[in-house]
Amino acid sequence: MFQSAARAFIGPNLRRQARATLATRATSFVPSTTTQNVSPQFSHIISGSTSSIVQKVNASSKLYMSTTAEVASDSLVGIDFIKESVVKVLNDSFDPKEVARAAALAKLEPKKKKKKKKKKQQEDAAPVEENEEPQMSQEEKDKIADAAAEAATPFGINDAMVTPATRLDFGDYQCNAAMGLAKNVGMSPRDCATKIVDGLRPIIGDIMEEPEIAGPGFINLRFKKEYLEKSVQGMAKDPERLSVPVVGNKKKIVVDFSSPNIAKEMHVGHLRSTIIGDTLSNVLEFSGHDVVRLNHVGDWGTQFGMLVEHLRDEFPAALNKETSQNVDLGDLVTLYKAAKQRFDKDDDFKVRSREGVVKLQAGDAEALAAWESLCAASRVEYQKIYDALNIKGLEERGESFYNPFLNGVIDDLEKQELAVESDGATAVFLDGYTNRDGSPLPMLVRKSDGGFNYATTDLAAIRHRTEFDDGEKADRVLYVTDAGQSQHFEMVFAAAKKAGFLPETVSLEHVPFGLVQGEDGKKFATRSGDTVKLRDLLDEAVRIAGEDVRSRREDPEAELPDDVKEVVKTVGIGAVKYADLSMNRESNYKFSYERMLSLNGNTAPYMLYAYARICGIVRKATGQEEGQSVQWPEPADIVITDEAETQLIRNLVKLPDVLSEVENDLYPNRLCDYLFETSQMFNKFYEACSVNNAETEEIKASRLSLCTVTAGTIRLLMGLLGIKVVERL
Ligand code: ARG
């Protein structure tokens, strides 16, 4: 936040000047590996990094600044608050300009030979001949240092260097800022740490124990027992949010996910996109952001010429606006295959297809009607999947929507000479993108026949989502697709930035995921090698879950009662979702019904069982009937009697940290990891501390509250993962 203010204050010209001087001068002296030791808000300048990195740093600081530096009395205090507190202390206690100056001078000092030898091996890739460095006059050095000081901005969130404690016995968080800062403020690291601690004490003193300075200057921070007790009780009183604060800087966030292609099969990649995109949207919305879920369906492009012409011959009713929506086109994949076959074999048909696209794009009524009937039929198919997955609020805004903006995109690119002719087509060339042979890699924006490309639509979509008044004016746009599209998005984002298609503060982020593989690690397919229909895949998961339940019932042959069938659906669909979300999304993921439906390990059935078990514990301890829905007991004062309780609570109160991490880094598996940790901590607690036979009524009530909060955590996070919990399994 203050970074940008200071930037404006310094003024763009001076900044550019300073950066230019430094970029040409300093880069040859400063191996980039040394930048870790200095404060990041300054390091890019001295190492001559490009402005895109500056933007990135700013963007991520901004994201972390999501809560306000004031503790709302009944909200949890998470790592963000600690970070912001440290930032405040740094700014109150040290002068960023002096730090930047000292760091710049330190970097300009020739490195000592001894050190160099040690480092030499690591730096083999880019050996620096130190002896040949031109000597710099003191005056020159001062000039660079002055420029660095001038360009310095206040300490930001990246300078706080606050992380979760590396070991729980060290505390809850640690701050590592003192080590890097010390030499630039002329202090020993431990003295520097002491100064930070002095500043922190009045801010966090009510919440944290007296900070402990360890080793070379680590600052260990540990929640006070009173804070733990008070906050977990607060969580018990707030089943909806569990005291997780709402973000201070609400953003407009577009999440582009699912996005299958009309008249083509929705495949497992789209399933992943749907599940991951939905969870990220849920988390961001829960944090308090304004989230718009957009389904960027592939409903435009050359394949429609062929499909429309095929319909003209086979389904004439589809070409009439009155009847087009209700034509039964049968299986769309079969239809697509038939059209494609004709296209490949029949030259007349091919010509007609080409003309068909032109007609469609020119708005011909029959072609449009046929196109609409295709879209309608696809929509019905997709909706079945969305219903099974319980996906809500996903707004269809397909590629066709952006058609009216495509010419404008090309015009603007051409005006800026970013788009140029290339082999009859129109392309944008971007620095750093080359083919294997080293030749520049074009990003095509218009084909030689005048048709537009995937990238053109995405450029138009960026403008509509961020720039145009009648669009979303989003602050952040996320694209959830397979990793195979990474380069596409990199290039589109780079082109959009270069062309000035988006406001500077907007952050565009590709959220890539890996492939779905069969258990053998090969392409995910049926036994006969066909692609797996998503509907079949989900049905199969539910079927196996049902069989398992049936086998454990008195009469395994009997039809399951309706309520049990509902549970079976939750388990089956939940298992598919959880299996996907619990993996690091960037890894390829092996699809295994057996593993995802197992009760052991980090799976949906395990978590659902953990929840149901807590419900059972509470029922028993409070004498509630089995058949009724659980009445959660009144939140009680927390009395800690055992180490296992402390550990469970320390884990529970860190819920905001996990959510904030997902909000920033967009890895849903963190939610699953945390869920698994929480349930394991709960198990330890339950082993060590009897709820039903607690020593006193107060202790029993306190333990029941811990049950309430643990169950609430599971319910909340499973909800964000799109999985409903059930009270009995
Ligand atoms: N339709 C594309 C596909 O099936 C995904 C679209 C992703 N979103 C976007 N704005 N390009 O792979």
Side-chain angles (χ1 to χ4, degrees), residues 256 258-261 267 270 296-298 399 454 458 465 479 481-482 485 488-489:
D256 174 321
S258 192
S259 309
N261 302 312
H267 55 66
H270 296 122
H296 190 85
V297 296
E399 296 187 0
Y454 187 43
D458 264 325
R465 292 164 185 183
Y479 297 81
T481 81
D482 60 281
Q485 303 193 35
H488 162 77
F489 285 110

Side-chain angles (χ1 to χ4, degrees), residues 109-117 130:
E109 283 309 311
K111 273 192 290 162
K112 290 185 193 109
K113 291 258 157 100
K114 254 193 201 163
K115 261 194 182 165
K116 203 186 81 189
K117 255 195 190 155
E130 216 98 345

Side-chain angles (χ1 to χ4, degrees), residues 621 636-641 645 689-704:
D637 285 342
I638 301 297
V639 196
I640 297 179
T641 62
E645 289 167 312
C689 309
S690 170
V691 177
N692 204 17
N693 301 316
E695 292 85 335
T696 67
E697 279 309 308
E698 286 73 31
I699 295 176
K700 179 171 178 176
S702 161
R703 289 178 184 169
L704 277 168

Side-chain angles (χ1 to χ4, degrees), residues 16 56 107 125 167 180 256 276 291 311 333 425 431 450 468 500 511 522 538 565 590 622 681 714 719 722 726:
R16 214 174 295 132
K56 226 188 219 159
K107 288 198 149 201
R167 272 175 38 189
D256 174 321
I276 296 170
V291 176
L311 292 191
V333 177
D431 292 344
F468 294 164
V511 185
K522 297 203 184 112
L538 297 174
K565 272 191 188 156
K590 289 201 176 90
T622 53
M681 296 256 183
I714 299 176
V726 285

